[in-house]
């Protein structure tokens, strides 16, 4: 059965609980997370086959992540385990609008120890779409594995998706993220950026137009640019557009982008869109709009709940939400 394969890190989010007493100890609640793992859960919750590919620690947090993926319906057969490093942790604090700040405990971390020999051939044979993000580019060894996975996915005929998902505090102070990120961007047909990430790419190039000019020199065919509640901007090589987002009460934006990507990849898999037919599919404006609207609904619902895995919606919830919209 063809699936969405999500490669990279799974980690534990420790979410700070609100506390009215400033003298009381700060409490943190454990949630399963990690951007590619979140996307896998989003896809699976929508009833579409999804697998997570990566390395989990042989510690209690690693076991928690494994069982959380299983409970969400994500295939875990391509996961490797290690006792050589612990599970990565992210301490998450929220402002009044649900926007988050991260403090990471990584490296060392198990997800950084996945190597090319841990890939299974069957993983690529079963991949209709292969998804990754920049959090597995922060060190040279795991970056090369990520790029190798993208190359192997292309060879197998899969669509490749890349969410920049930039977390600068994960990168060593002496490492410029741009070269590795551009290597990955040029290997992806589908690219998700935030407005801030687009600005980050544009700064050394001069402007946004230069970013898109450079993107089109690679494999990229479709780009989505999100900006919290602002309209979603989307671009192909021949056109661009705007899609309004849905007005919801945000309590936690941690997994909004991952929910959006998961919704989009699930939609594309259900429509049997493959790399060879993507350009023809993108020529149908109605199909493009329907896919974007569905993905935007997944992202909107995610911000109304705490957690990452826990914030992902079922297909019936998304359909009900869309049915209630004007």
């Amino acid at each position: 059965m063809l699936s969405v394969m999500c490669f990279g890190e799974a980690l534990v989010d420790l979410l700070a609980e609100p506390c009215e007493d400033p003298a009381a100890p700060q409490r943190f609640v454990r949630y399963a997370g990690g951007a590619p793992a979140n996307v896998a859960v989003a896809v699976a919750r929508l009833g579409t086959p999804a697998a997570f590919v990566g390395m989990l620690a042989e510690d209690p947090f690693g076991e928690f992540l494994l069982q959380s993926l299983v409970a969400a319906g994500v295939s875990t057969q391509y996961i490797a385990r290690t006792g050589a490093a612990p599970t990565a942790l992210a301490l998450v604090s929220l402002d009044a609008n649900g926007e988050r700040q991260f403090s990471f405990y990584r490296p060392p971390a198990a997800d950084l120890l996945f190597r090319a020999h841990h890939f299974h051939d069957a993983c690529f044979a079963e991949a209709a779409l292969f998804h990754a993000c920049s959090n597995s580019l922060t060190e040279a060894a795991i970056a090369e594995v990520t790029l190798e996975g993208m190359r192997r996915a292309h060879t197998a005929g899969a669509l490749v998706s890349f969410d920049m998902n930039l977390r600068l505090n994960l990168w060593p102070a002496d490492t410029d993220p741009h070269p590795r990120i551009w290597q990955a961007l040029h290997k992806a047909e589908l690219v998700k950026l935030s407005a801030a990430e687009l600005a980050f790419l544009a700064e050394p190039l001069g402007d946004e137009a230069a970013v898109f000019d450079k993107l089109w020199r690679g494999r990229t065919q479709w780009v989505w640019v999100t900006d919290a509640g602002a309209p979603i901007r989307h671009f192909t090589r021949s056109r661009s557009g705007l899609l309004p987002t849905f007005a919801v009460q945000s309590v936690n934006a941690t997994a909004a982008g991952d929910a959006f990507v998961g919704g989009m990849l699930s939609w594309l898999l259900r429509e049997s869109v493959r790399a060879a037919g993507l350009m023809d599919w993108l020529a149908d404006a109605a199909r493009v709009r329907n896919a974007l609207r569905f993905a935007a609904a997944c992202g909107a619902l995610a911000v109304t709940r705490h957690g990452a895995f826990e914030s992902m919606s079922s297909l019936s919830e998304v359909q009900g939400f869309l049915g209630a919209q004007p």
Side-chain angles (χ1 to χ4, degrees), residues 38-39 42 46 255-264 294-295 298-300 302 311-313:
N38 293 341
V39 173
L46 292 167
D258 302 327
F260 174 91
V261 173
M264 181 61 74
F294 181 83
C298 293
S311 71
M312 303 307 175
S313 300

Side-chain angles (χ1 to χ4, degrees), residues 164 178 181-182 185 193 196-206 211:
M164 189 164 152
H178 287 93
I181 288 174
W182 274 110
L185 287 168
L193 303 172
E197 289 161 354
L198 178 56
F200 177 83
L201 293 175
E203 184 176 2
L205 298 178
V211 175

Side-chain angles (χ1 to χ4, degrees), residues 163-249:
D163 180 1
M164 189 164 152
N165 196 48
L166 183 64
R167 302 285 181 263
L168 284 173
N169 51 353
L170 286 177
W171 289 78
D174 60 351
T175 301
D176 178 7
H178 287 93
R180 290 181 195 163
I181 288 174
W182 274 110
Q183 283 184 280
L185 287 168
H186 279 155
K187 287 179 169 53
E189 287 92 358
L190 308 171
V191 169
K192 155 74 169 64
L193 303 172
S194 70
E197 289 161 354
L198 178 56
F200 177 83
L201 293 175
E203 184 176 2
L205 298 178
D207 58 20
E208 288 187 2
V211 175
F212 286 100
D213 180 65
K214 190 170 181 176
L215 279 170
W216 305 142
R217 295 179 209 165
R219 301 183 66 101
T220 306
Q221 301 294 333
W222 197 14
V223 181
W224 320 302
V225 181
T226 60
D227 187 12
I232 296 164
R233 302 163 64 194
H234 55 103
F235 303 82
T236 68
R237 292 175 180 240
S238 60
R239 64 175 65 128
S240 62
L242 287 174
L243 184 85
T245 54
F246 300 100
V248 294
Q249 180 63 47

